[in-house]
Amino acid sequence: MIVVMNPEASEKDIKMVTEKLKSMGFGVHLSQGVRRTIIGAIGDREKALSSGLEAMHCVEKIVPITKPFKLVSREFKRENSVYDIGGVQVGGDELVVMAGPCAVESREQLLQAARQVAGSGAKFLRGGAFKPRTSPYSFQGLEEEGLKMLAEAREETGLKIVTEVMNQHTVDMVAAYADILQVGARSMQNFYLLREIGRLNKPVLLKRGLSATIEEWLMAAEYIMSEGNYRVILCERGIRTFETYTRNTLDLSCVPVIKRLSHLPVLVDPSHGTGSWHWVPAMSRAALAAGADGLLVEVHPNPAEALSDGPQSLNPENFTNLMASLRSLAPALGRSL
Ligand code: PEP
Ligand code: MN
């Protein structure tokens, strides 16, 4: 449930209510709105209703959260969440594009990709140093060497870094280099990993699981937030269906659904969502038209030679053209790029 404080409530009032809730065994999460503070209290609702809290002058009302996801829900926070990540806003009026190769393959490949996507207007460089591959014989990533290359690319281009963390043992290592931690589709329900990441103060890009319902996905975000890390970005990347012409089925209908259910920013990954670079520009535009706050796109200096996901990677020229088309689309959507 949420405790809505009066707009006039002081810091002292908020502290008092927070302490009272904690002493009654509630998990407490503060959300400072423009006009008022609301306190998310996770615990026994009946206990809260009989606690006398509602009679306090500083408390406006107590509202139950009906959904199974609490901190994630719009009931908890009405305004869209906007994060400032190293000076780049995610979730605000400005659309954000994160682009780069599927995997960090070499210093030259990465720097080249970084220069290219930065030149076309991307704000984040994506690239996996730890790769979750279907086959154990496929390229698995350069691990910490790859993370160092990402940091070097950030140094040179100013791009922020988004990169995947695959298990709880490497969370601290990846977090030391990344600006955003990516949780891959295959890890969406690795609850140990989610909890570990929840203890950090680092934004998270949470991809939708291969066969996850929207509710399961939001519950995964709730795991991270329930530990105190509130900066979660959701990323739709396609789900398994019977269709075989596309690698996955990009579920763009999830974007307006999530926008209604949750205050979290939503990005769309049309590369994994379709599996072919041919479909990426159209689905990128469709994603933004559906209300997505930005895109995660695979771009490789030479897709034919990519060690992973070459067929779905845009070459630099196609990426530049895509960015130009998004720039003309943005104003029609009331956004900027
Ligand atoms: C990726 O972004 O390269 C990736 C592995 O994505 P997903 O987890 O969505 O398959
Ligand atoms: Mn990939």
Side-chain angles (χ1 to χ4, degrees), residues 101-103 126 131 207 247 269 271-272 298 308-309 312-313:
C102 179
R126 60 142 296 142
K131 294 305 303 175
K207 289 196 145 192
R247 178 178 176 183
D269 169 353
S271 308
H272 294 86
E298 286 187 335
S308 69
D309 287 348
Q312 68 193 32
S313 300

Side-chain angles (χ1 to χ4, degrees), residues 16-299:
M16 180 186 61
V17 172
T18 306
E19 292 306 325
K20 188 169 167 74
L21 285 164
K22 280 186 185 161
S23 73
M24 291 190 300
F26 284 89
V28 174
H29 304 266
L30 273 191
S31 167
Q32 223 95 38
V34 188
R35 283 198 60 233
R36 68 182 85 228
T37 297
I38 64 175
I39 304 172
I42 312 292
D44 182 355
R45 187 179 146 216
E46 295 309 317
K47 223 177 181 181
L49 291 175
S50 60
S51 65
L53 272 176
E54 216 161 8
M56 291 180 176
H57 73 281
C58 58
V59 174
E60 185 173 299
K61 56 185 173 181
I62 295 182
V63 188
I65 300 180
T66 51
K67 302 282 190 310
F69 40 90
K70 311 288 180 194
L71 305 171
V72 164
S73 84
R74 270 234 193 254
E75 291 173 85
F76 174 59
K77 183 164 179 271
R78 204 169 316 160
E79 321 88 61
N80 288 335
S81 281
V82 183
Y83 316 134
D84 183 303
I85 305 176
V88 182
Q89 309 287 314
V90 177
D93 288 341
E94 191 162 340
L95 297 164
V96 64
V97 177
M98 307 184 179
C102 179
V104 180
E105 298 169 5
S106 70
R107 188 171 171 272
E108 289 63 42
Q109 171 251 16
L110 187 72
L111 288 175
Q112 216 182 333
R115 289 176 197 133
Q116 286 159 346
V117 301
S120 304
K123 294 283 163 62
F124 283 83
L125 175 65
R126 60 142 296 142
F130 292 91
K131 294 305 303 175
R133 304 304 300 278
T134 302
S135 164
Y137 309 118
S138 302
F139 175 62
Q140 305 283 311
L142 298 181
E143 305 190 344
E144 193 163 10
E145 282 314 301
L147 295 173
K148 287 182 184 157
M149 292 170 194
L150 286 163
E152 185 183 346
R154 169 176 51 207
E155 195 64 37
E156 185 190 307
T157 59
L159 292 168
K160 307 290 156 218
I161 303 299
V162 54
T163 193
E164 177 159 356
V165 56
M166 281 176 58
N167 63 48
Q168 73 264 41
H169 310 297
T170 46
V171 163
D172 289 333
M173 184 213 288
V174 180
Y177 296 92
D179 297 291
I180 299 180
L181 291 172
Q182 177 172 324
V183 176
R186 289 155 194 81
S187 303
M188 191 207 82
Q189 285 189 317
N190 179 341
F191 300 116
Y192 290 104
L193 176 63
L194 300 178
R195 281 204 191 280
E196 193 62 33
I197 287 176
R199 295 191 189 104
L200 303 181
N201 176 22
K202 178 78 74 178
V204 184
L205 183 84
L206 178 64
K207 289 196 145 192
R208 182 177 185 177
L210 306 174
S211 304
T213 63
I214 291 172
E215 188 160 305
E216 287 164 340
W217 187 16
L218 293 175
M219 291 307 284
E222 186 81 14
Y223 260 90
I224 299 169
M225 296 175 74
S226 67
E227 295 291 333
N229 188 352
Y230 300 123
R231 289 186 292 169
V232 177
I233 303 160
L234 299 167
C235 181
E236 160 63 28
R237 49 77 72 205
I239 48 174
R240 283 277 165 85
T241 69
F242 48 81
E243 183 52 67
T244 54
Y245 269 90
T246 46
R247 178 178 176 183
N248 292 293
T249 296
L250 190 63
D251 176 19
L252 291 183
S253 63
C254 81
V255 178
V257 172
I258 287 172
K259 285 287 172 190
R260 191 172 166 84
L261 292 174
S262 173
H263 53 89
L264 298 180
V266 186
L267 301 192
V268 169
D269 169 353
S271 308
H272 294 86
T274 62
S276 168
W277 68 269
H278 289 102
W279 325 132
V280 167
M283 296 316 284
S284 297
R285 292 186 286 268
L288 299 185
D293 298 297
L295 301 166
L296 182 78
V297 186
E298 286 187 335
V299 180

